[in-house]
């Protein structure tokens, strides 16, 4: 076979600092698929597109471009498991390529730290990288089919929208993420509000968490109205945080209780590829940490050896 | 908030266009194409639950009502989901227009306190959500990866670079000035 495909692994903030199980699962899954993930040393916050892009466009683009220059110097494309990080770097790259004034302002700022943005690197999301590997190759690796698991999908916004820039999928009827998720054998459950935003983006969660949670609650209620699901799969850690930790917060703010296991697409694939949940730390999701519980193993169809099974206590 | 107050009517023949020019320069070049069809607001999950009205803000901006646009806290309810941008028949890119208006708001000192704190975190730690507790490092060890990731959390030079960049673009002042006035 040809040379091993290599990508710089852009981590961002939420994955490495709050949901590290996603980082761990990504390493397992990409290794299984024969792809090398390289450390991107000294990469910073992407910085959050809806937040920093809302504060000051030039600063946003300059910090994003600094991240791009790390990959440009190393000579490999980037892949990231976060919709926000993906959008920040992809959109900044796109805007600088179409707006010479912005590019000039950014390079003026980067000159202060001895860097120059050239525009030679492609920014991909894990979803893109997986899609390029191909559904058949992914299917070949599935050793623990998630047959019978009812799977809802939350694609989130920034991987596919705005569609005229991202040019990924039909944003009103996306199928790429669903196709990848369905290789695991899980059963896709459609619901009306699948495509609405989780509510966290654009600095809304930071400004007013209750309003952000109201979006999330609408999604859960929409899903409940079709009979619920066993898991919700998303390609974004910020969406994952909002849907996962959000359930604990919704209980506090709205006194409504939901119990959904939320999986990042690479966590879903890690399970389907036969990895045990403790290999990548599925139980570290903040929902379980706060509620002092664990994923619904029975619903997931996964047998886990529990400590109390091995050592009987009184 | 703003709509209930009594105000003198706007003279449509004498509109202040400086604000629109500012928006065009700051990332919302297509704002003038808006024909007020309302597709954006009809698609907007933020508008469905708050007093945020994207079509209204765009119209106000076109009428030069800068203060009205930048001072209302509802400006910050857009989650940047880009649904309106995908649906607008005039390619106005309402999300980008809103982001441009927010840039003007921040430049004029209208920044919410929690937002300012997030901005400061990036200047302090290189990350909006930093590795700021030992328990986060422990969480990483639990998932079988190294306690400190190879990002700005491990490489302090990266933070220095970000501070220098922010100094050059004036962002450090934008964030700090507000702090001083509080
Ligand atoms: S959808 Fe476009 S044209 Fe219609 S009101 Fe909104 S911005 Fe204006
Ligand atoms: S991008 Fe903002 S204004 Fe547009 S539909 Fe989404 S929340 Fe509403």
């Amino acid at each position: 076979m040809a040379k091993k495909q290599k990508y710089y692994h852009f981590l961002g903030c939420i994955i490495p600092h709050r949901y590290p199980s996603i980082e761990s699962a990504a390493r397992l899954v990409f290794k299984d698929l024969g792809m090398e993930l390289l450390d991107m040393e000294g990469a910073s916050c992407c910085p959050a597109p809806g937040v920093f892009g809302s504060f000051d466009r030039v600063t946003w683009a300059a910090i994003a471009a600094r991240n791009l220059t790390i990959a440009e110097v190393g000579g490999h494309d980037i892949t990231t498991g976060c919709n926000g990080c993906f959008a920040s770097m992809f959109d900044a790259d796109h805007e600088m390529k179409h707006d010479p004034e912005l590019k000039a302002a950014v390079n003026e700022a980067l000159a202060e730290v001895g860097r120059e943005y050239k525009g030679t690197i492609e920014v991909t999301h894990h979803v893109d990288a997986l899609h390029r590997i191909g559904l058949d190759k992914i299917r070949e690796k599935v050793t623990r089919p998630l047959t019978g698991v009812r799977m809802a999908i939350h694609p989130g916004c920034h991987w596919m929208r705005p569609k005229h820039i991202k040019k990924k999928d039909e944003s009103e009827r996306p199928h790429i993420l669903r196709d990848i998720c369905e290789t695991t054998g899980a059963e896709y459950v459609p619901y009306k509000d699948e495509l609405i935003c989780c509510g966290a983006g654009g600095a809304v969660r930071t400004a007013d968490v209750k309003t952000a949670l109201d979006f999330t609650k609408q999604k859960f209620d929409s899903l409940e109205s079709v009979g619920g699901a066993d898991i919700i799969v998303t390609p974004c850690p910020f969406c994952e945080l909002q849907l996962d930790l959000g359930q604990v917060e919704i209980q506090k703010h709205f006194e409504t209780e939901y119990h959904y296991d939320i999986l990042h697409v690479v966590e879903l694939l890690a399970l389907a590829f036969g990895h045990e949940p403790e290999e990548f730390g599925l139980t570290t999701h903040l929902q379980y940490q706060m509620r002092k519980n664990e994923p619904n193993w029975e619903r997931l169809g996964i047998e886990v050896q529990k400590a109390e099974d091995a050592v009987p206590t009184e | 908030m703003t709509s209930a107050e009594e105000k003198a009517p706007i003279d449509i023949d004498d509109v202040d266009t400086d604000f629109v020019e500012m928006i065009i320069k700051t990332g919302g070049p297509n704002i003038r194409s808006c024909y007020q069809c309302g597709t954006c607001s009809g698609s907007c999950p933020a508008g469905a639950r708050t007093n945020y009205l994207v079509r209204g803000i765009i119209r106000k901006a076109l009428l030069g009502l800068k203060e009205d646009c930048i001072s209302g806290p509802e400006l910050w309810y857009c989650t940047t989901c880009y649904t309106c941008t995908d649906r607008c028949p005039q390619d106005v890119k309402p999300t980008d227009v809103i982001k441009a208006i927010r840039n003007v708001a921040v430049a004029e000192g209208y920044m919410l306190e929690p937002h300012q704190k997030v901005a400061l975190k990036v200047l302090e730690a290189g990350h909006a959500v930093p590795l700021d507790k030992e328990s986060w490092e422990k969480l990483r060890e639990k998932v079988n990866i190294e306690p400190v990731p190879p990002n700005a959390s491990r490489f302090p030079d990266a933070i220095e670079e970000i501070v220098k960049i922010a100094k050059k673009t004036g962002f450090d002042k934008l964030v700090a000035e507000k702090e001083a006035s509080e």
Side-chain angles (χ1 to χ4, degrees), chain A:
Chain A
M1 275 253 330
K3 262 204 335 220
K4 212 173 179 187
Q5 169 94 48
K6 288 181 191 170
Y7 282 104
Y8 273 118
H9 189 192
F10 185 85
L11 301 173
C13 303
I14 313 253
I15 290 178
H17 300 159
R18 296 295 181 274
Y19 281 80
S21 52
I22 301 172
E23 182 180 336
S24 190
R27 293 189 193 182
L28 295 173
V29 165
F30 282 110
K31 186 158 177 254
D32 289 346
L33 292 167
M35 261 177 31
E36 199 174 333
L37 294 180
L38 305 165
D39 282 354
M40 206 166 151
E41 295 189 348
S44 69
C45 183
C46 57
V51 184
F52 275 74
S54 291
F55 297 164
D56 185 61
R57 182 167 172 254
V58 175
T59 307
W60 161 72
I63 297 177
R66 179 190 166 275
N67 285 322
L68 293 170
T69 62
I70 296 174
E72 287 183 352
V73 170
H76 297 284
D77 292 336
I78 292 173
T79 189
T80 174
C82 174
N83 281 3
C85 298
F86 168 72
S88 227
M89 291 182 290
F90 187 96
D91 293 354
D93 187 57
H94 178 91
E95 288 185 33
M96 286 185 289
K97 280 177 177 150
H98 291 82
D99 182 344
E101 262 178 58
L102 178 68
K103 184 179 167 185
V106 162
N107 272 332
E108 215 176 288
L110 289 182
E112 295 285 308
V113 295
R115 294 180 182 273
E116 188 193 355
Y117 160 80
K118 297 196 177 80
T120 54
I121 284 301
E122 193 195 358
V123 180
T124 73
H125 190 289
H126 287 351
V127 170
D128 302 311
L130 291 166
H131 194 61
R132 280 178 203 169
I133 289 169
L135 298 175
D136 289 337
K137 282 236 173 67
I138 297 173
R139 225 174 266 120
E140 275 170 25
K141 298 287 171 199
V142 174
T143 56
R144 181 200 273 136
L146 300 169
T147 318
V149 175
R150 301 179 71 246
M151 166 185 74
I153 291 178
H154 168 72
C157 304
H158 294 114
W159 170 71
M160 62 182 182
R161 288 195 286 256
K163 67 178 174 200
H164 61 274
I165 290 177
K166 300 295 178 18
K167 297 190 170 74
K168 302 281 185 192
D169 209 339
E170 176 42 61
S171 65
E172 303 279 359
R173 257 175 185 281
H175 65 91
I176 291 176
L177 175 66
R178 174 183 163 184
D179 293 346
I180 293 171
C181 294
E182 282 185 324
T183 60
T184 64
E187 179 201 338
Y188 169 68
V189 177
Y191 61 107
K192 182 170 143 275
D193 290 325
E194 177 177 320
L195 301 184
I196 76 158
C197 171
C198 70
V204 173
R205 185 181 158 87
T206 313
D208 180 351
V209 75
K210 194 171 176 186
T211 297
L213 292 168
D214 197 60
F215 286 67
T216 323
K217 190 172 176 299
Q218 181 184 335
K219 292 200 73 107
F220 290 149
D221 288 340
S222 168
L223 187 51
E224 303 264 295
S225 75
V226 296
D230 299 328
I231 55 173
I232 305 175
V233 183
T234 176
C236 175
F238 201 30
C239 298
E240 180 153 322
L241 181 145
Q242 182 71 6
L243 296 169
D244 181 69
L245 181 63
Q247 291 176 62
V248 183
E249 296 168 332
I250 285 174
Q251 206 169 328
K252 200 167 76 193
H253 287 280
F254 298 91
E255 290 171 18
T256 315
E257 203 171 328
Y258 303 95
H259 287 275
Y260 288 111
D261 292 311
I262 312 297
L263 298 179
H264 189 281
V265 58
V266 294
E267 295 179 314
L268 177 80
L269 291 179
L271 288 178
F273 289 3
H275 295 286
E276 296 309 325
E278 62 268 22
E279 255 183 279
F280 61 94
L282 181 61
T283 59
T284 60
H285 286 185
L286 299 180
Q287 171 194 183
Y288 311 130
Q289 303 280 310
M290 302 287 288
R291 285 176 159 166
K292 310 240 177 294
N293 67 358
E294 288 195 3
N296 190 327
W297 301 119
E298 203 184 314
R299 268 195 328 194
L300 284 168
I302 290 173
E303 280 190 38
V304 284
Q305 188 77 50
K306 286 212 185 143
E308 54 265 39
D309 293 345
V311 188
T313 48
E314 88 278 34

Side-chain angles (χ1 to χ4, degrees), chain B residues 40 43-47 52 54 77-85 94-95 98:
Chain B
C40 50
S43 308
C44 178
Y52 168 75
V54 52
Y77 279 131
C78 164
T79 61
T80 68
C81 75
Y82 287 97
T83 309
C84 55
T85 296
T95 320
I98 293 301

Side-chain angles (χ1 to χ4, degrees), chain B residues 2-3 5 7 60 65-72 74:
Chain B
T2 47
S3 48
E5 292 161 24
K7 286 204 191 90
K60 280 182 185 175
L65 300 173
K66 177 172 149 195
E67 209 47 37
D68 233 344
C69 289
I70 65 175
S71 64
E74 65 272 15

Side-chain angles (χ1 to χ4, degrees), chain B residues 12-181:
Chain B
I12 305 260
D13 294 324
D14 181 25
V15 164
D16 173 10
T17 57
D18 289 357
F19 184 40
V20 171
E21 292 301 334
M22 240 185 257
I23 292 167
I24 289 170
K25 260 200 254 141
T26 320
N30 298 358
I31 183 171
R32 283 217 171 91
S33 313
C34 173
Y35 57 27
Q36 288 289 295
C37 66
T39 303
C40 50
S41 285
S43 308
C44 178
R49 63 198 78 240
T50 69
N51 63 340
Y52 168 75
L53 187 67
V54 52
R55 174 178 67 160
I57 292 176
I58 290 174
R59 182 67 179 146
K60 280 182 185 175
L62 289 168
L63 290 172
L65 300 173
K66 177 172 149 195
E67 209 47 37
D68 233 344
C69 289
I70 65 175
S71 64
E74 65 272 15
L75 178 64
W76 296 91
Y77 279 131
C78 164
T79 61
T80 68
C81 75
Y82 287 97
T83 309
C84 55
T85 296
D86 277 5
R87 292 182 184 169
C88 169
Q90 285 289 95
D91 195 28
V92 170
K93 302 187 171 71
T95 320
D96 291 348
V97 170
I98 293 301
K99 281 167 78 176
I101 295 175
R102 286 176 170 185
N103 273 230
V104 176
V106 168
E108 308 247 332
Y110 290 105
M111 192 175 199
L112 304 179
E113 207 194 317
H115 291 156
Q116 184 213 359
K117 284 198 175 127
V118 172
L120 282 171
K121 273 195 188 136
V122 173
L123 300 186
E124 284 158 19
H127 290 281
V129 181
L131 192 72
D132 52 0
K133 278 191 220 147
E134 217 189 292
S135 57
W136 301 126
E137 294 182 23
K138 290 247 161 66
L139 207 63
R140 290 182 56 83
E141 284 179 322
K142 253 196 197 160
V143 308
N144 302 315
I145 49 181
E146 69 276 38
V148 180
N151 55 17
S153 301
R154 195 192 295 173
F155 296 94
D157 288 1
I159 304 169
E160 253 171 62
E161 287 191 23
I162 285 173
V163 170
K164 279 187 193 155
I165 290 170
K167 213 167 245 159
K168 179 71 183 169
T169 62
F171 189 68
D172 60 333
K173 280 209 200 84
L174 221 57
V175 188
E177 264 167 23
K178 177 102 184 281
E179 193 182 34
S181 69

